[in-house]
Amino acid sequence: MKKLVLAAALTAAASTAYAGNISEPVVEPPVIVEETQSSSSGIVLPLLLLVLVGAAVASS
């Protein structure tokens, strides 16, 4: 009976040692989202300032 209990204990210990696989886990790369800018956004402020200066010169 002792041999049966010992065999069962060793079998349980051995089966938990091989429970998982040894392959590497699959890790998905992070998704990087860049915000887009329109090319005309950099020219709006200088054009607005030019219009304001032109209006100030025309009114004087």
Side-chain angles (χ1 to χ4, degrees):
M1 191 63 150
K2 289 181 184 178
K3 289 183 182 180
L4 182 64
V5 172
L6 182 61
L10 289 176
T11 303
S15 65
T16 57
Y18 296 109
N21 57 3
I22 58 172
S23 64
E24 292 291 324
V26 176
V27 179
E28 296 181 11
V31 177
I32 300 173
V33 177
E34 294 184 18
E35 294 183 18
T36 58
Q37 283 186 331
S38 63
S39 60
S40 65
S41 65
I43 199 158
V44 171
L45 185 61
L47 286 178
L48 183 63
L49 289 175
L50 185 62
V51 168
L52 289 175
V53 169
V57 169
S59 67
S60 60

